[in-house]
Amino acid sequence: MTTVAKVTGGGEGTDSPYALSHLDALESEAVHIFREVAGEFENPVILFSGGKDSIVMLHLALKAFAPAAVPFSLLHVDTGHNFPEVLEYRDRVVAAHGLRLHVASVQEYIDRGVLRERPDGTRNPLQTLPLTEKIQSERFDAVFGGGRRDEEKARAKERVFSLRDEFSQWDPRRQRPELWNLYNGRHAPGEHVRVFPLSNWTELDVWQYIAREGIDLPEIYFAHEREVFSRSGMWLTAGEWGGPKDTEPVQTRLVRYRTVGDMSCTGAVDSDATTLEAVITEIAASRLTERGATRADDKLSEAAMEDRKREGYF
Amino acid sequence: MSTITTEALSATTLLRFATAGSVDDGKSTLVGRLLHDSKSVLVDQLEAVERASASRGQEAPDLALLTDGLRAEREQGITIDVAYRYFATPRRRFILADTPGHVQYTRNMVTGASTAELTVVLVDARNGVVEQTRRHAAIAALLRVPHVVLAVNKMDLVGYEERVFAAIAEEFTAYATELGVPEVTAIPISALAGDNVVDASARMDWYGGPTVLEHLETVPVSHDLAHCHARLPVQYVIRPQTAELPDYRGYAGQIAAGTFRVGEEVTVLPSGRTSTIAGIDLLGEPVDVAWTTQSVTVLLADDVDVSRGDLIVPSKDAPATTQDVEATVCHVADQPLTVGHRVLLKHGTRTVKAIVKDIPSRLTLADLSLHPHPGTLAANDIGRVKIRTAEPLPADSYADSRRTGSFILIDPGDGTTLSAGMVGESFAAPEPVTDGDDDGWDF
C-alpha cells in the first residue's frame, strides 16, 4: 500500500513525493502506448527476437493487461543464424505465457531462391523481405518494435507511432508530428504502423529495469567462455553460419553480448560481468554505444540504419 | 571512466526539456557542451563526428552532426526534424527535444514544447531580445511550459558585463511574465568557453545563481497535484473472463492529471453515470492512491457502462461537456485548414467527428498581433478556431490541464495530423492588436 506524505511542492533539489522515478515514468509511458494500440488497432503483433529489448517489451505488455492475457501475438524473424540459447529462451517464454508465435524465416527464402546469401554472410539486411511479407499475409496493422532513439541517429528521428506504406517503407520527411501523448494511429488498408514503446529508454534504463523487475534473460548476456574469432574489430562466434575463415584464428575468451541479433554480425565484448549488477556497472562505465561496440551492420556506412529503415527494417 | 559513480545507477527523476534558438545563438554548442561535459557522448559517436567533420574539411568536430540523423540533413547541413537526445547526471535523467531553428520552425518547436517541462531560450548577448526571442517566449507561453530558462549566451563577447545581462534578463522576463510564463530563470553563459553551462564561471562572480545544468538538475518536475483536477481517460477495458476472474472489469488508463483514491465518488463522462472507486491496481500492485502520470487500472463498485474514450473524474470536480470547442491551434500539416473542413478530433482517448465552424483570427507570434478572419491556416500558422463536435467532449481549459485541455485534428481521408489544439484562451493576458498587414509573417 502506498501512503503519501503531505505535498510540499518540490523545492530546491528536492522532488515532491508525487514525482515519479525515471523508471516509473518510462514504464508508465510504455504501458500507455501498449494500451493505446490495443484500443485502436485490430491485429497488433510484437516483434520478438529474444533480445533484451523485446523481452522488456513483452514484460511491459504482460503488466499492461494483467490480470488478462496479452492481446497480441509474437513475430520472430528467424535469420537461420540464431544463438541456440536465444531460440530456447523464446520457446520457453511463449509456452509459459500461452502466447501465439509467428515465424518469418530467412532460411526458407534463401532455400526457395527468393533471397540470396550476401558475400559477407551477414543476414540482417535479408530480414526485411520476410518481415514485410509476413506483415502483409497476416494483415498485422500495428507492429511493436523494441527500437530506442538512443541507439542510433536515424532512430533518434523516429516517431513512437511510425506509419509504413504497403511496402513497409519509412519516409522520414513525411512523419506525423507527435504532440503531447496523443498518438495518431490512422492508416489506410494495407498500410501499418510500427510502434516503439521503448523510444525514450536508454540502454542503461533497460538494464536497470531488468534488474528492478527481476526479468529472466538468455544466458549469453552474461559473461561466459566462448569460442570466438576476430573480424572487423569484433569477437564473432565460431559456427556453421560461415565463420571463421582460414585466416581468422579461433580462441576461447570470457565474453558477453550487449545486443542479440544474427550470429554473423553481432559481436561479443570482453567481460567478466556474470551478474545483472556487474553488467549495469560495466555499461554505466562503458565509453562505447552498444551498436558501435557490437554491430557490424551499422558500420557499413554512415546512413546504414536509415537506408535499412527506409526499406522496411525494424 | 570513473566519473560515473554508483549514484548513476540508482533511481532518479526524469526531466523532459526543449531548446529553442538558432544556430547563430550557439544552440548546437550549448547542447554539445551539455552532452559532452556530462560525459554523454560516447567515444564511437565522437569518432564518427570527427571523421565526418574531417571529410568535409572542418577542423574541429561539428557537434551538430551528433543530432543530424538523416542523410538529407547531413548533406544539406540542416536539421529537418525534432531530434531527441538522452543524457544523465547522478541527480537526474534528461530527455532533450532539440528543435531546429529554421525549417518548419513553429511546428517543431510546438511539438518539442508539448511534452517539455522546461524550455531553454537562447539569446546572443550582443543582440539581446530580438523578434525570434519573442516568438520563442510566445510558444513557451502558448504551450504552458512551466519553466523557462533564458540563457544569455556569448557573454565572453560582451566582456562578461553584468549590466548587459541584467538589461536583457529584465526585458525578457517582463515580456514573458506578461504572456503568463510562470517562471523565468535567466543565466549568463558562454557555451563556447563553458561559463555557467556545467561549471560556475570564475569570470562572472557578480552572478550568484545556478549554472544551466544545476538548474536542470534541481527544477521541480511535478506540481502541487492537490490543486489539479483529477482526470483519467479510459484507454482499454480489461476483462480476463477466466474461471478465476469471471466478472473482473478494470478500466485501464494513464492518469492525465491529479490524484485518485480508493473510496472516492467518481463520474464517468460523457454519460454522467456515477460510482465509487473500489480499487486501484498500479501495474500489479494494489494501492490506495495514484497520481499523474501513473498508468493504472481502476475498479468501480458498480456495474456501470464504461468504455474506451470515456473520462473518469471526481464527482465533485467534473468538467462541463460541450460540443462547441473554442481553441488555439498550431497548424502542423502542409495541406491548409479551412472553414468548413470536416476533421477528426482526438482528445484524450476519444476520437470524434468534428467540423471547423470558424477561424476568427490568426496570430503573429513575434508581436502577438491578430489577423482577423484569415479563412485558412497554413503550415506553421497559429490561430483561433471554433469547432463543432459530433459528440459532447469533457474538455478542460488548457490553462488548467495540459493533458486534458489539448487535442489533435486529423484528416479523416488520409490520416494526416493537421493541427495541435489548446482549449480556451491562448495567453494569460492577451492584448489583441489588430494589424491588417500580413508581411510580418515570415516563417
Side-chain angles (χ1 to χ4, degrees), chain B residues 116-133:
Chain B
E117 287 152 292
L118 179 146
T119 295
V120 179
V121 176
L122 268 155
V123 300
D124 185 325
R126 295 170 300 175
N127 305 330
V129 174
V130 295
E131 188 177 297
Q132 197 182 36
T133 319

Side-chain angles (χ1 to χ4, degrees), chain A residues 15-16 18 22 28 32 35-36 40 157 176 180 183-184 186 200 205 208 284 287 289 292 306-307, chain B residues 1 4 9 12-13 43-44 71 73 86 92-93 114 222 235 254 291 293 295-296 308 346 415 417:
Chain A
D15 284 309
S16 92
Y18 285 140
H22 76 285
S28 177
H32 173 258
R35 289 169 169 176
E36 278 301 280
E40 292 203 339
K157 301 279 176 172
R176 294 169 178 167
W180 299 285
Y183 302 110
N184 176 358
R186 297 280 292 188
N200 286 324
D205 297 330
Q208 287 182 319
R287 303 304 295 151
T289 64
E306 180 181 344
D307 294 343
Chain B
M1 258 62 351
I4 295 166
L9 310 179
T12 56
T13 49
V43 173
D44 55 323
R71 188 194 292 278
E73 293 177 317
Y86 301 84
R92 203 170 253 180
R93 284 259 292 102
S114 72
S222 70
Q235 289 188 278
Q254 187 177 33
W291 56 88
T293 52
S295 282
V296 295
R308 175 174 169 83
K346 183 171 184 182
T417 300

Side-chain angles (χ1 to χ4, degrees), chain A residues 207-277:
Chain A
W207 281 105
Q208 287 182 319
Y209 188 72
I210 287 167
R212 187 184 89 169
E213 301 285 302
I215 300 170
D216 181 37
L217 288 183
E219 305 93 83
I220 65 169
Y221 278 112
F222 301 97
H224 56 286
E225 298 244 315
R226 180 174 281 266
E227 290 201 336
V228 293
F229 64 94
S230 176
R231 183 182 290 175
S232 310
M234 297 189 309
W235 295 116
L236 298 185
T237 295
E240 289 173 13
W241 60 268
K245 296 176 188 139
D246 294 343
T247 52
E248 296 170 325
V250 173
Q251 49 182 298
T252 302
R253 297 184 74 91
L254 191 60
V255 296
R256 66 173 202 87
Y257 285 85
R258 279 175 80 176
T259 67
V260 165
D262 186 74
M263 284 174 90
S264 62
C265 63
T266 306
V269 293
D270 288 319
S271 170
D272 58 5
T274 54
T275 63
L276 269 177
E277 202 174 46

Side-chain angles (χ1 to χ4, degrees), chain A residues 51-69:
Chain A
K52 66 181 188 316
D53 298 317
S54 61
I55 290 168
V56 165
M57 272 206 298
L58 178 59
H59 181 85
L60 288 161
L62 288 164
K63 287 186 88 166
F65 300 100

Side-chain angles (χ1 to χ4, degrees), chain A residues 32 49 62 64 100 106 111 155 158 163 165 180 183 196 211 243 245 289:
Chain A
H32 173 258
S49 66
L62 288 164
R100 181 164 176 220
V106 172
D111 293 345
R155 284 198 166 157
E158 182 63 278
L163 187 67
D165 67 15
W180 299 285
Y183 302 110
F196 300 100
K245 296 176 188 139
T289 64

Side-chain angles (χ1 to χ4, degrees), chain B residues 231 267-273 309-313 318-321 350 394:
Chain B
R231 304 287 185 253
T267 299
V268 180
L269 295 173
S271 73
R273 292 190 179 87
D310 288 348
L311 186 70
I312 297 177
V313 301
T321 59
R350 191 176 191 86

Side-chain angles (χ1 to χ4, degrees), chain B residues 34-53:
Chain B
L34 278 173
L35 298 175
H36 186 265
D37 289 7
S38 63
K39 313 283 188 293
S40 303
V41 183
L42 300 182
V43 173
D44 55 323
Q45 292 173 306
L46 206 56
E47 281 172 2
V49 166
E50 281 166 0
R51 263 200 315 277
S53 303

